[in-house]
Amino acid sequence: MNHHHHKIRESWLVAAVHDLNLQVFIPAGYEVPDDVAVTCGWPSRGAIAKRKTLGECWPRSRSAKNINEIFLSPTMDDAVDVLAVLVHELVHAIDDCKHGHKAPFRTIAVAVGFE
Protein backbone atom coordinates (compact mmCIF):
# COMPACT_ATOMS: atom_id res chain seq x y z
CA MET A 1 0.00 0.00 0.00
CA ASN A 2 1.53 3.31 -0.95
CA HIS A 3 1.93 6.06 1.61
CA HIS A 4 -0.82 8.27 0.17
CA HIS A 5 -3.40 5.47 0.20
CA HIS A 6 -2.38 4.61 3.76
CA LYS A 7 -2.97 8.23 4.88
CA ILE A 8 -6.44 8.28 3.27
CA ARG A 9 -7.33 5.05 5.07
CA GLU A 10 -6.07 6.43 8.39
CA SER A 11 -8.11 9.64 8.07
CA TRP A 12 -11.16 7.57 7.09
CA LEU A 13 -10.71 5.51 10.27
CA VAL A 14 -10.38 8.63 12.44
CA ALA A 15 -13.61 10.00 10.92
CA ALA A 16 -15.29 6.61 11.42
CA VAL A 17 -14.37 6.55 15.13
CA HIS A 18 -15.81 10.05 15.56
CA ASP A 19 -19.06 9.16 13.74
CA LEU A 20 -19.46 5.82 15.54
CA ASN A 21 -18.99 7.54 18.88
CA LEU A 22 -21.71 10.13 18.11
CA GLN A 23 -24.18 7.86 16.31
CA VAL A 24 -23.71 4.49 18.02
CA PHE A 25 -21.90 4.62 21.35
CA ILE A 26 -23.17 7.85 22.97
CA PRO A 27 -26.85 7.08 22.21
CA ALA A 28 -26.26 3.65 23.85
CA GLY A 29 -24.83 5.34 26.96
CA TYR A 30 -21.11 4.75 26.35
CA GLU A 31 -18.31 6.96 25.11
CA VAL A 32 -15.21 6.05 23.15
CA PRO A 33 -12.06 7.41 24.88
CA ASP A 34 -11.17 10.62 23.05
CA ASP A 35 -7.49 9.68 22.90
CA VAL A 36 -7.97 6.27 21.25
CA ALA A 37 -5.57 5.69 18.33
CA VAL A 38 -6.56 3.58 15.32
CA THR A 39 -3.99 2.28 12.87
CA CYS A 40 -4.36 0.15 9.78
CA GLY A 41 -1.57 -2.38 10.10
CA TRP A 42 -0.01 -4.66 12.64
CA PRO A 43 2.43 -3.80 15.41
CA SER A 44 4.23 -7.12 15.09
CA ARG A 45 4.89 -10.00 12.70
CA GLY A 46 3.24 -12.29 15.24
CA ALA A 47 -0.12 -10.69 14.58
CA ILE A 48 0.20 -11.43 10.87
CA ALA A 49 0.84 -15.10 11.64
CA LYS A 50 -2.60 -15.36 13.27
CA ARG A 51 -4.28 -14.52 9.98
CA LYS A 52 -7.77 -14.89 11.42
CA THR A 53 -7.19 -11.87 13.64
CA LEU A 54 -8.78 -8.81 12.04
CA GLY A 55 -8.41 -6.37 14.90
CA GLU A 56 -6.48 -5.87 18.10
CA CYS A 57 -6.98 -3.41 20.95
CA TRP A 58 -4.17 -2.72 23.40
CA PRO A 59 -4.92 -1.64 26.97
CA ARG A 60 -3.52 1.69 28.15
CA SER A 61 -1.01 -0.16 30.31
CA ARG A 62 0.60 -1.67 27.21
CA SER A 63 0.94 1.63 25.34
CA ALA A 64 3.95 3.94 25.66
CA LYS A 65 1.51 6.86 25.28
CA ASN A 66 -0.91 5.40 27.88
CA ILE A 67 -3.75 5.28 25.35
CA ASN A 68 -5.84 2.50 23.86
CA GLU A 69 -4.25 1.59 20.54
CA ILE A 70 -6.34 -0.25 17.96
CA PHE A 71 -4.78 -2.07 15.02
CA LEU A 72 -6.93 -3.19 12.09
CA SER A 73 -5.86 -5.78 9.55
CA PRO A 74 -4.83 -4.27 6.21
CA THR A 75 -6.24 -7.42 4.55
CA MET A 76 -9.82 -6.18 4.94
CA ASP A 77 -11.09 -4.18 2.00
CA ASP A 78 -14.83 -4.18 2.63
CA ALA A 79 -15.92 -1.05 4.52
CA VAL A 80 -18.70 -2.90 6.35
CA ASP A 81 -16.23 -5.53 7.61
CA VAL A 82 -13.81 -2.80 8.70
CA LEU A 83 -16.56 -0.95 10.61
CA ALA A 84 -17.75 -4.14 12.32
CA VAL A 85 -14.23 -4.97 13.50
CA LEU A 86 -13.65 -1.32 14.47
CA VAL A 87 -16.80 -1.24 16.64
CA HIS A 88 -15.71 -4.53 18.30
CA GLU A 89 -12.28 -3.07 19.11
CA LEU A 90 -13.80 0.22 20.33
CA VAL A 91 -15.89 -1.80 22.81
CA HIS A 92 -12.60 -3.22 24.12
CA ALA A 93 -11.21 0.34 24.36
CA ILE A 94 -14.21 1.53 26.41
CA ASP A 95 -13.55 -1.40 28.78
CA ASP A 96 -9.76 -0.76 28.54
CA CYS A 97 -9.49 -4.44 27.53
CA LYS A 98 -10.10 -5.46 31.15
CA HIS A 99 -12.71 -8.22 30.67
CA GLY A 100 -11.88 -9.91 27.35
CA HIS A 101 -15.24 -10.95 25.91
CA LYS A 102 -16.90 -11.59 29.28
CA ALA A 103 -19.96 -9.85 30.73
CA PRO A 104 -18.89 -6.16 30.76
CA PHE A 105 -17.74 -6.42 27.12
CA ARG A 106 -20.95 -8.23 26.14
CA THR A 107 -23.13 -5.63 27.86
CA ILE A 108 -21.57 -2.81 25.82
CA ALA A 109 -21.50 -4.88 22.61
CA VAL A 110 -25.22 -5.70 22.86
CA ALA A 111 -26.03 -2.07 23.69
CA VAL A 112 -24.38 -0.94 20.44
CA GLY A 113 -26.17 -3.54 18.36
CA PHE A 114 -24.08 -6.69 18.27
CA GLU A 115 -25.87 -10.02 18.56
Side-chain angles (χ1 to χ4, degrees):
M1 184 186 304
N2 69 36
H3 182 70
H4 178 69
H5 187 76
H6 189 71
K7 279 282 161 250
I8 290 172
R9 188 176 280 199
E10 299 271 297
S11 57
W12 185 86
L13 288 169
V14 169
V17 170
H18 176 78
D19 292 346
L20 288 167
N21 191 35
L22 291 179
Q23 295 167 22
V24 177
F25 286 95
I26 291 173
Y30 297 95
E31 193 155 1
V32 174
D34 59 5
D35 57 358
V36 68
V38 182
T39 306
C40 181
W42 290 122
S44 66
R45 293 205 180 282
I48 297 167
K50 304 181 291 189
R51 263 201 210 90
K52 293 274 181 268
T53 305
L54 295 176
E56 237 175 52
C57 180
W58 285 13
R60 291 176 180 272
S61 60
R62 195 169 158 191
S63 161
K65 300 180 205 138
N66 193 38
I67 59 174
N68 291 118
E69 296 189 59
I70 292 173
F71 302 92
L72 297 177
S73 171
T75 63
M76 291 186 291
D77 53 13
D78 182 79
V80 175
D81 293 343
V82 173
L83 288 174
V85 174
L86 179 57
V87 169
H88 179 105
E89 300 309 329
L90 289 170
V91 174
H92 282 303
I94 289 169
D95 184 49
D96 195 24
C97 313
K98 285 183 168 52
H99 300 96
H101 298 117
K102 294 200 282 291
F105 173 92
R106 276 205 307 277
T107 301
I108 302 168
V110 168
V112 299
F114 279 116
E115 298 293 304

